[in-house]
């Protein structure tokens, strides 16, 4: 059998629209889960043991349950609590929640990589705690946290395909809607795969630059 | 004229743009101890790795006791052997590494008996007996049950020498055996090598230990930029070197000591 | 909460769980040897093979798992490969898992001192013997933690099979939820079952690590 890409131009706008939603979803989750991850990281290192234990348990639960199940829960479960969300916000909410816990792990180990002497030195100099955090500690966590952060960004991108399950019209959903009509899944899937690969490529490029930057920063320490 | 016990002729080996061996020839008689000296990165280690075909040379040939390494015997001498058969030839040649390369998850005894059992088909009892013998010889009897990490560097290197000897090799290659050791541990390894030389083992030793080269080697070869530029008795090469590169190298060594 | 409403769907949930267990075991059992072969081929194989494997692995790793499953389930028939949902899901999940897992395995091997292989070859040890007795025992303790992390990700990933008509735990939980409007019960129950599966793997990991420590007494 031969591949026939002649129908692609016709369905191209629909695929592009799907890709647009995929990009939106990726960016939204990336932007929201980053502060979420910081919050989780701080709570993971909180002085109160019960708080640490609670966040550890939540982290274990949210990272242990299939993301797909969490999406279904946001879509079917929240309405019962009186919170009915459109598919896209529901997907953003679910993905942001579990990605925050993944980021939290990354940021927590980044924070642990800063030697305790740094905070002690800042305290000895009389620098206020919040300023120590923002100006001294956080900037030093970036070299250690950046590479895994960006590689998780590609996980977000690939994870957005799951939103198809709750009827978000993202790229893989758009592809499926097309090929159930055209009966030529391979061609559409190949094009969709190429678009995903392209988007991945952008993130991988960022990762390359990020790693180079991180290595320089780390070598300078 | 009888053919030499070991002969390497016209060995060439390049890695990308880097020429490690640029037409190296060397022959050794049975029982001879040749010390190879020269600056780091000059290709000395590559020479050893080409002789036992750990890294096959790009061209040139190696013979040990008349047998061409990497090729069939007699009428089949022009046929390159598969790795499986080269392995059998390699087992006849012992090799000692700069970083010992002991198996960290094995005890000293397990390190020694593994290859004799797997390659030579010795029974555990035979291999163990041989291993104990050799441990005694390198001054480590009683340490059979120790793990490599529990030993000093000098002890580890002596175990590595014993491990190579367990295969009853006909030729021993030493790749900077004392370079990774603390200075105070060098002596014990040199002593083991010296006694091995006295027992008549044929040895090719890449080393920075000029004392060993001067006192134990029957011949010294100076290696520079992929070539042996000068070879001769230690007294001649070390005291009155002919080649300007050798002179410069030895002067640097003298000054740094 | 009305138990009489929920009860009729519990057997379905259980059968979905059983499918998920089968899918998990099948995926792990098939992906592990394939991943090992890929890792060895890439690190020690001839260059053309290493290159081809690198391209294949990285291509798969660029794609969402769902797209890979769609390729097998929907694309397969176009090539004349018609298969049951369970078969298609297994093939897709194994391909995904093996690609990622091969990277984890290579990571373990790359941490090994290259001198170990050189020493084995200098002693004349056959490669298989060197692999079994010297290289693997040293690489295993390094491979086990990322391997198990990957295994847990793969078990969670089996939930994607629900997107290609496999009646697994996720599919049954969603179906029951949407019929009964009792998502808490079913989704939470499914979540607990997934966590239990992960828990089994974590316990297994602890056991394996202890076993490796005792067996090889790595003094490092």
């Amino acid at each position: 059998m031969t591949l026939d890409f002649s129908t692609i131009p016709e369905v191209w706008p629909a695929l592009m629209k799907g890709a647009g939603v995929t990009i939106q979803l990726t960016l939204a989750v990336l932007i929201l889960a980053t502060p979420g991850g910081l919050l989780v990281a701080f709570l993971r290192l909180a002085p109160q043991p019960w708080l640490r234990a609670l966040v550890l348990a939540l982290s274990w639960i949210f990272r242990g349950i299939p993301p797909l199940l969490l999406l279904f829960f946001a879509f079917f479960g929240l309405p019962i609590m009186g919170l009915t969300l459109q598919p896209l916000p529901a997907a953003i909410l679910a993905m942001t929640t579990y990605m925050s816990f993944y980021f939290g792990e990354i940021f927590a180990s980044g924070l642990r990589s800063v030697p305790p002497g740094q905070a002690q030195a800042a305290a000895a100099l009389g620098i206020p705690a919040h300023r120590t955090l923002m100006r001294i500690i956080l900037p030093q966590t970036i070299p250690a946290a950046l590479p895994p952060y960006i590689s998780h960004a590609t996980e977000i991108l690939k994870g957005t395909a799951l939103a198809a399950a709750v009827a978000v019209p993202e790229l893989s959903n758009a592809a499926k809607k097309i090929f159930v009509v055209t009966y030529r899944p391979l061609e559409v899937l190949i094009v969709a795969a190429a678009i995903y690969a392209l988007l991945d490529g952008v993130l991988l490029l960022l990762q390359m630059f990020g790693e180079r930057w991180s290595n320089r920063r780390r070598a300078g320490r | 004229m009888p053919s030499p016990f070991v002969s390497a002729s016209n060995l060439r080996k390049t890695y990308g743009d880097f020429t490690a061996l640029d037409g190296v020839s060397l022959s050794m008689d049975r029982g001879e101890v040749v010390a190879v000296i020269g600056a780091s990165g000059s290709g000395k280690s590559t020479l050893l790795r080409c002789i036992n075909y750990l890294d096959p040379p790009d061209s040139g040939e190696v013979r040990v006791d008349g047998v061409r390494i990497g090729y069939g015997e007699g009428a089949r001498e022009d046929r390159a052997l598969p790795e499986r058969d080269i392995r059998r030839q390699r087992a006849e040649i012992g090799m000692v590494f700069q970083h010992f390369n002991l198996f960290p998850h094995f005890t000293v005894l397990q390190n020694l008996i593994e290859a004799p059992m797997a390659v030579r088909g010795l029974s555990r009892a035979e291999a163990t007996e041989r291993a104990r013998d050799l441990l005694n010889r390198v001054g480590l009897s009683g340490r059979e049950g120790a793990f490599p990490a529990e030993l000093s560097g000098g002890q580890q290197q002596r175990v590595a020498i014993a491990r190579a000897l367990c295969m009853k090799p006909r030729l021993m290659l030493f790749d900077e055996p004392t370079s990774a050791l603390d200075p105070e541990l060098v002596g014990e390894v040199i002593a083991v090598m010296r006694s091995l030389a006295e027992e008549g083992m044929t040895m090719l030793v890449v080393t920075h230990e000029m004392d060993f080269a001067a006192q134990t080697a029957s011949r010294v070869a100076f290696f520079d930029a992929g070539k042996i530029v000068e070879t001769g008795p230690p007294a001649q090469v070390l005291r009155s070197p002919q080649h300007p590169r050798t002179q410069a190298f030895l002067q640097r060594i003298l000054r740094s000591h | 909460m009305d138990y009489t409403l929920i009860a009729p769907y519990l057997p379905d949930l259980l059968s979905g769980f059983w499918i998920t267990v089968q899918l998990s075991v099948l995926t792990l059992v098939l992906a592990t040897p394939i991943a090992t072969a890929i890792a060895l081929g890439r690190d020690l194989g001839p260059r053309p093979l290493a290159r081809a494997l690198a391209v294949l692995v990285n291509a798969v790793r660029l794609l969402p798992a769902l797209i890979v499953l769609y390729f097998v389930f929907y694309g397969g028939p176009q090539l004349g490969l018609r298969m049951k949902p369970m078969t298609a899901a297994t093939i897709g999940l194994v391909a995904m898992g093996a690609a990622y897992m091969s990277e984890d395995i290579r990571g373990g091997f790359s941490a090994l001192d290259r001198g170990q292989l050189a020493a084995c070859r200098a002693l004349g040890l056959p490669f298989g013997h060197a692999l079994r007795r010297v290289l693997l025992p040293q690489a295993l303790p390094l491979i086990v933690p990322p391997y198990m992390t990957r295994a847990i990700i793969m078990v969670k990933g089996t939930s994607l099979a629900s997107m290609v008509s496999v009646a697994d735990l996720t599919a049954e939980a969603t179906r029951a939820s949407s019929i009964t409007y009792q998502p808490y019960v079913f989704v939470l129950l499914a979540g607990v079952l997934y966590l239990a599966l992960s828990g089994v793997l974590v316990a297994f990991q602890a056991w394996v690590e202890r076993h490796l420590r005792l067996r090889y007494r790595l003094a490092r």
Side-chain angles (χ1 to χ4, degrees):
Chain A
M1 75 134 275
T2 50
L3 291 175
D4 174 13
F5 286 96
S6 61
T7 56
I8 294 299
E10 197 182 324
V11 300
W12 183 250
L15 282 173
M16 279 293 103
K17 220 168 144 196
V21 176
T22 291
I23 293 171
Q24 273 179 40
L25 191 51
T26 305
L27 287 179
V29 174
L30 193 56
I31 289 166
L32 293 172
T34 301
L38 272 178
L39 181 68
V40 170
F42 289 139
L43 294 177
R44 288 272 273 117
L45 305 171
Q48 296 84 350
W50 65 268
L51 195 54
R52 285 204 304 267
L54 177 71
V55 177
L56 185 68
L58 283 177
S59 177
W60 184 68
I61 289 171
F62 275 94
R63 293 184 304 130
I65 291 178
L68 196 52
L69 211 56
L70 294 171
L71 274 167
F72 281 132
F73 188 74
F75 196 61
F76 295 113
L78 293 179
I80 300 206
M81 288 164 66
L83 181 65
T84 306
L85 292 172
Q86 292 294 307
L88 187 60
I92 291 174
L93 180 68
M95 289 185 67
T96 299
T97 308
Y98 70 78
M99 279 319 294
S100 294
F101 285 100
Y102 282 98
F103 280 154
E105 295 298 315
I106 294 172
F107 295 154
S109 64
L111 285 170
R112 282 191 208 101
S113 77
V114 179
Q118 292 293 313
Q120 286 162 20
L125 289 167
I127 301 173
H130 67 274
R131 196 176 160 83
T132 302
L133 181 65
M134 296 308 288
R135 302 272 304 161
I136 315 258
I137 307 296
L138 276 187
Q140 294 192 60
T141 64
I142 294 175
L146 189 64
Y149 175 79
I150 300 177
S151 84
H152 271 70
T154 68
E155 294 301 318
I156 295 181
L157 170 64
K158 287 181 276 180
T160 58
L162 299 182
V166 292
V168 174
E170 49 67 67
L171 182 53
S172 57
N173 198 358
K176 189 178 170 185
K177 273 191 196 133
I178 293 165
F179 69 63
V180 294
V181 179
T182 63
Y183 286 105
R184 300 199 71 86
L186 272 181
E187 289 84 349
V188 178
L189 282 171
I190 287 170
V191 174
I195 295 174
Y196 275 115
L198 200 73
L199 296 176
D200 271 315
V202 172
L203 288 172
L204 288 177
L205 221 58
L206 272 180
Q207 177 167 12
M208 231 170 62
F209 286 124
E211 263 166 25
R212 199 171 296 167
W213 182 85
S214 285
N215 286 339
R216 260 208 314 273
R217 281 298 278 268
R218 263 188 262 189
R221 251 220 311 244
Chain B
M1 185 185 126
S3 58
F5 182 62
V6 179
S7 80
S9 36
N10 213 14
L11 294 181
R12 278 174 202 285
K13 178 81 185 175
T14 57
Y15 298 97
D17 291 338
F18 174 68
T19 303
L21 299 181
D22 189 9
V24 173
S25 299
L26 175 78
S27 52
M28 297 169 67
D29 290 328
R30 202 184 290 269
E32 216 184 355
V33 176
V34 174
V36 182
I37 61 170
S40 305
S42 59
K44 306 184 301 282
S45 297
T46 308
L47 173 62
L48 298 190
R49 298 171 68 92
C50 280
I51 284 179
N52 69 354
Y53 265 60
L54 266 187
D55 265 344
D58 298 335
S59 65
E61 65 166 53
V62 178
R63 285 175 187 277
V64 176
D65 209 0
V67 176
R68 186 171 176 199
I69 304 296
Y71 290 84
E73 286 185 47
R76 296 167 166 262
E77 209 166 72
D78 54 346
R79 257 205 10 210
L81 288 177
E83 173 72 17
R84 178 160 30 95
D85 296 322
I86 299 178
R87 215 168 51 221
R88 242 168 257 142
Q89 300 178 326
R90 203 181 282 133
E92 307 291 323
I93 304 171
M95 186 164 194
V96 174
F97 299 87
Q98 180 178 357
H99 295 287
F100 332 134
N101 295 352
L102 290 177
F103 304 134
H105 57 304
F106 284 169
T107 61
V108 166
L109 184 67
Q110 286 170 326
N111 262 283
L112 264 60
I113 64 177
E114 185 70 14
M117 286 165 59
V119 181
R120 295 272 195 252
L122 260 59
S123 73
R124 181 173 291 273
E126 291 167 323
T128 304
E129 194 190 330
R130 186 185 285 187
R132 284 189 204 284
D133 228 32
L134 282 162
L135 277 180
N136 189 25
R137 222 163 102 187
V138 300
L140 285 173
S141 20
R143 301 312 304 271
E144 289 89 344
F147 281 87
E150 296 164 1
L151 302 177
S152 74
Q155 292 172 325
Q156 290 190 49
Q157 193 59 300
R158 285 187 280 153
V159 171
I161 294 173
R163 178 176 73 176
L165 291 175
C166 273
M167 299 297 286
K168 295 232 185 300
R170 290 183 288 174
L171 164 69
M172 283 285 282
L173 308 174
F174 292 83
D175 188 2
E176 302 200 18
T178 57
S179 295
L181 297 178
D182 292 335
E184 71 271 20
L185 301 176
V186 169
E188 58 192 70
V189 172
I190 293 288
V192 167
M193 291 167 64
R194 193 162 284 159
S195 78
L196 197 56
E198 280 159 9
E199 285 163 29
M201 174 62 76
T202 313
M203 295 161 63
L204 183 58
V205 184
V206 169
T207 187
H208 290 297
E209 284 303 314
M210 292 303 146
D211 287 348
F212 175 83
Q215 291 162 22
T216 310
S218 36
R219 209 143 44 88
V220 173
F222 177 67
F223 206 94
D224 184 69
K227 287 192 166 104
I228 292 179
V229 295
E230 185 165 358
T231 171
Q236 181 196 315
V237 175
L238 298 176
R239 305 252 165 70
S240 49
Q242 303 299 304
H243 198 281
R245 301 300 299 246
T246 322
Q247 292 162 1
F249 175 75
L250 289 171
Q251 255 164 28
R252 245 193 348 266
I253 295 267
L254 279 180
R255 236 177 295 143
S256 68
H257 277 281
Chain C
M1 194 166 74
D2 190 351
Y3 181 75
T4 53
L5 206 63
I6 295 161
Y9 294 96
L10 289 180
D12 289 351
L13 211 61
L14 221 58
S15 89
F17 179 59
W18 176 233
I19 296 275
T20 291
V21 170
Q22 285 178 31
L23 210 49
S24 301
V25 171
L26 213 55
T27 310
L28 288 174
V29 165
L30 293 175
T32 302
I34 296 174
T36 310
I38 293 174
L40 290 176
R42 284 189 68 184
D43 284 345
L44 301 166
R47 188 163 291 186
L49 176 71
R51 288 251 168 91
L53 287 173
V55 169
L56 218 60
V57 164
N58 287 318
V60 171
R61 293 200 312 148
L62 280 179
L63 299 179
L66 186 61
I67 293 285
V68 174
L69 286 188
Y70 279 179
F71 262 112
V72 181
F73 187 65
Y74 294 110
Q78 203 176 331
L79 298 171
L81 298 166
R82 203 163 286 282
M83 51 196 127
K84 281 189 283 188
M86 183 74 173
T87 314
T90 305
I91 292 173
L93 291 171
V94 166
M96 274 319 271
Y100 282 96
M101 204 174 250
S102 71
E103 292 288 294
D104 301 328
I105 293 174
R106 286 179 71 217
F109 275 112
S110 75
L112 271 193
D113 181 4
R114 290 201 76 84
Q116 292 291 312
L117 182 58
C120 292
R121 295 178 60 212
L123 287 168
L125 291 172
F127 179 73
H129 186 95
L131 191 65
R132 195 165 45 78
R133 293 277 296 167
V134 177
L135 303 179
L136 269 183
Q138 293 182 61
L140 272 182
L142 304 174
I143 291 171
V144 166
Y147 174 89
M148 296 310 291
T149 307
R150 181 69 54 200
I152 290 172
I153 294 175
M154 285 166 67
V155 168
K156 285 192 292 170
T158 60
S159 64
L160 284 177
S162 65
M163 305 279 288
V164 290
S165 335
V166 174
D168 75 334
L169 181 53
T170 299
E172 294 295 356
T174 333
R175 197 172 64 89
S177 297
S178 55
I179 296 173
T180 62
Y181 284 99
Q182 296 282 341
Y184 291 112
V185 189
F186 293 111
V187 173
L188 286 182
L189 207 56
V192 167
L193 289 173
Y194 277 111
L195 285 178
L197 275 182
S198 307
V200 169
L201 287 175
V202 169
F204 180 66
Q205 174 176 3
W207 180 81
V208 169
E209 283 178 3
R210 208 173 61 98
H211 174 79
L212 286 175
R213 261 201 309 280
L214 289 180
R215 170 136 183 218
Y216 298 115
R217 269 185 56 194
L218 271 185
R220 276 196 299 184

